[in-house]
């Protein structure tokens, strides 16, 4: 009985990850080509609400599969579009701080939610867990209804510093950029002022300039940028390690210390609380640059991971050692995620400045974060599977040593 249950559990989890991997690039492409990012964001939240209801009432395996597929698609939309909206809103000077806030909040939620779900399940039952989840989704939808995109607000408040053109997203545009654009327009009054005007000319029968005909697909352009690939690998390493803990740590502490589910869940607070320092790390990366902070994060994560192999028997000292090493991992892992996410947007911006026609009028922020989301999805599959296989075949000590070497590998391309 346990074998089919384990198989279905793994298969359903794989369906969720596959939906994110397949859906993220498509959602990114759509989001970069729509004049209003809020629409796909609402769509993602509504899909998530429907998937949560389905999951709660499911009595058959195929219903569970459909619900997890929808949840994966929703995650692909909300992560991709949400991070792109963040980049559109905060501007280049504060992107690290706010990216750190968003991603550390996400990490905190991922770590704490199983604990909260377990407590609610124990106290109020199965459907109460889904009621809590649906309440959060509805609250999120209501928050989105009062959200105004910066591009939309700029049409009514041009003095705030953003241009009021009708182009899509593209690179950040500040007051200085606006002045430069106005100067260029003054010098060349017969040229199209922006990409929207170019689109207007095309719709009236004018031919598109020849230099745009051979543009590569945006995803391929992004994948050809080594710095972006380094950022994606960095987040892959980060999420793989966290997902590995999700897969093997509860079982290990139950078998070693005899802890129940509640105690096994509480141990994740050692990882969750340090994640709240993400905004501080992001602000630091805004001032000093993201590269060396991310390198330090990968390199410093390796020692506490390797030292976790010392947790091998049941004693108070061993429990303190486990908590101390997990706290160290929490503080070092957060040094990776905020800087690499901020660097991702910087790479897109610099590429657009160097070659304004590289991505087209819609820009590439959503598609860049779609790749970011794909790396996270792949990591959630890779981490637990590899860590679980290593623990089962070679033991806890070998697994932690391998994860330590893997963490250090993230510093090399960064």
């Amino acid at each position: 009985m346990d074998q089919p249950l384990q198989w279905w559990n793994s298969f359903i989890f794989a369906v969720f990850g596959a939906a994110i991997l397949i859906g993220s690039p498509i959602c990114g492409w759509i989001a970069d080509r729509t004049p209003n990012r809020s629409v796909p964001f609402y769509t993602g939240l509504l899909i998530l609400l429907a998937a949560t209801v389905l999951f709660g009432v499911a009595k058959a395996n195929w219903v569970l599969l459909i619900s997890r597929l929808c949840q994966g698609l929703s995650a692909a939309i909300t992560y991709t579009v949400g991070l792109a909206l963040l980049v559109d809103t905060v501007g280049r000077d504060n992107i690290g701080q706010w990216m750190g806030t968003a991603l550390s909040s996400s990490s905190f939620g991922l770590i704490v939610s199983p604990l909260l779900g377990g407590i609610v399940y124990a106290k109020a039952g199965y459907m109460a867990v889904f009621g809590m989840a649906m309440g959060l989704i509805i609250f999120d939808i209501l928050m989105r209804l009062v959200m105004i995109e910066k591009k939309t607000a700029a049409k009514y408040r041009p003095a705030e510093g953003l241009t009021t053109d009708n182009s899509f997203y593209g690179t950040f545009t500040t007051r200085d950029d606006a002045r430069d654009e106005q100067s260029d327009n003054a010098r060349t009054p017969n040229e199209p002022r922006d990409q929207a005007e170019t689109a207007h000319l095309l719709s009236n029968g004018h031919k598109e300039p020849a230099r745009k005909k051979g543009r590569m697909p945006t995803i391929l352009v992004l994948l050809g940028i080594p710095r972006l690939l380094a950022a994606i690998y960095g987040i892959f390493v980060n999420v793989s390690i966290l997902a590995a803990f999700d897969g093997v740590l509860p079982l290990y502490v139950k078998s070693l210390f005899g802890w129940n589910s509640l105690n096994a869940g509480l141990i994740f607070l050692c990882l969750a609380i340090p994640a709240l320092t993400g905004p501080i790390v992001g602000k630091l990366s805004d001032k000093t640059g993201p590269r060396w902070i991310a390198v330090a994060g990968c390199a410093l994560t390796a020692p506490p991971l390797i030292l976790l192999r010392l947790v091998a028997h049941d004693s108070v000292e061993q429990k303190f050692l486990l908590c101390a090493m997990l706290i160290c991992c929490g503080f070092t892992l957060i040094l990776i995620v905020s800087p690499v996410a901020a660097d991702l947007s910087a790479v897109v911006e610099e590429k657009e400045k160097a070659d304004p026609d590289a991505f087209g009028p819609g820009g590439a922020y959503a598609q860049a974060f779609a790749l970011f989301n794909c790396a996270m999805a792949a990591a959630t599959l890779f981490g637990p599977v590899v860590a679980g296989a290593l623990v089962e075949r070679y033991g806890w000590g070998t697994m932690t040593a391998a994860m330590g070497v893997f963490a250090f590998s993230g510093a090399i391309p960064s």
Side-chain angles (χ1 to χ4, degrees):
M1 188 71 180
D2 287 340
Q3 256 187 334
L5 181 63
Q6 180 63 52
W7 186 88
W8 274 105
N9 188 54
S10 301
F11 183 65
I12 288 171
F13 193 81
V15 167
F16 175 76
I20 298 177
L21 282 170
I22 297 170
S24 291
I26 298 171
C27 296
W29 186 86
I30 294 171
D32 278 333
R33 279 156 179 76
T34 178
N36 188 342
R37 294 205 206 270
S38 298
V39 174
F41 203 97
Y42 294 142
T43 304
L45 290 173
L46 290 172
I47 292 173
L48 179 59
L49 182 62
T52 304
V53 173
L54 267 181
F55 201 95
V57 301
K59 301 296 183 182
N61 291 337
W62 66 269
V63 180
L64 286 174
L65 287 177
I66 292 174
S67 66
R68 288 299 276 169
L69 186 68
C70 291
Q71 285 176 342
L73 179 60
S74 171
I77 297 171
T78 52
Y79 263 87
T80 299
V81 180
L83 292 176
L85 273 170
L86 183 66
V87 174
D88 295 335
T89 303
V90 302
R92 66 179 73 123
D93 294 331
N94 301 307
I95 184 62
Q97 178 183 354
W98 288 104
M99 195 66 72
T101 302
L103 292 174
S104 63
S105 299
S106 176
S107 298
F108 184 82
L110 286 170
I111 295 169
V112 170
S113 55
L115 173 62
L116 293 177
I119 293 172
V120 172
Y121 176 76
K123 300 293 183 183
Y126 180 79
M127 288 308 298
V129 177
F130 291 94
M132 179 176 65
M134 285 185 283
L136 285 173
I137 297 167
I138 292 170
F139 177 73
D140 200 352
I141 293 173
L142 293 175
M143 292 291 287
R144 293 316 134 230
L145 290 174
V146 298
M147 178 183 72
I148 301 174
E149 290 190 57
K150 197 167 186 178
K151 175 178 171 289
T152 303
K155 296 178 181 179
Y156 305 99
R157 303 178 67 181
E160 291 293 318
L162 289 179
T163 59
T164 58
D165 62 26
N166 294 320
S167 62
F168 288 167
Y169 296 92
T171 314
F172 299 119
T173 309
T174 60
R175 291 186 180 89
D176 293 335
D177 298 330
R179 290 195 206 99
D180 292 341
E181 187 178 338
Q182 289 169 0
S183 300
D184 291 340
N185 291 338
R187 287 194 297 269
T188 58
N190 294 322
E191 295 180 3
R193 289 182 302 169
D194 52 38
Q195 292 160 341
E197 194 167 326
T198 302
H200 175 70
L201 290 174
L202 291 173
S203 67
N204 283 284
H206 293 266
K207 292 185 178 180
E208 187 177 9
R211 61 192 173 91
K212 293 187 179 181
K213 288 183 179 178
R215 183 189 299 134
M216 289 179 62
T218 297
I219 288 287
L220 295 182
V221 175
L222 292 171
L223 289 174
I225 304 173
R227 188 171 150 200
L228 183 136
L229 293 177
I232 290 173
Y233 182 68
I235 197 62
F236 178 77
V237 169
N238 177 281
V239 177
S240 292
I241 294 169
L242 287 173
F245 281 131
D246 283 341
V248 302
L249 186 58
L251 294 175
Y252 186 68
V253 296
K254 283 181 182 180
S255 64
L256 185 65
F257 302 138
W259 286 355
N260 59 26
S261 298
L262 179 60
N263 291 334
L266 286 172
I267 195 67
F268 282 96
L269 290 176
C270 296
L271 292 168
I273 292 173
L276 295 176
T277 60
I280 300 172
V281 175
K283 191 170 185 178
L284 182 63
S285 74
D286 286 333
K287 292 183 177 180
T288 64
R291 181 182 180 187
W292 292 110
I293 297 176
V295 168
C298 291
L300 293 174
T301 299
L305 279 174
I306 295 172
L307 289 174
L308 279 170
R309 66 185 290 112
L310 300 176
V311 180
H313 58 271
D314 186 6
S315 70
V316 174
E317 292 80 8
Q318 292 279 285
K319 293 172 184 175
F320 272 112
L321 177 62
L322 174 64
C323 292
M325 292 302 100
L326 289 177
I327 290 170
C328 289
C329 287
F331 278 114
T332 55
L333 285 170
I334 200 63
L335 294 175
I336 305 172
V337 62
S338 302
V340 298
D343 198 41
L344 204 65
S345 62
V347 169
V348 175
E349 181 186 359
E350 290 171 13
K351 180 67 176 178
E352 282 189 317
K353 283 186 175 180
D355 183 5
D357 295 323
F359 303 129
Y365 289 116
Q367 289 176 84
F369 284 109
L371 292 174
F372 182 89
N373 204 22
C374 286
M376 293 177 67
T380 59
L381 295 174
F382 174 83
V385 170
V386 172
L390 287 172
V391 168
E392 186 175 346
R393 185 159 186 176
Y394 300 106
W396 169 262
T398 301
M399 186 278 296
T400 60
M403 287 293 110
V405 173
F406 179 57
F408 189 80
S409 74
I412 298 171
S414 299

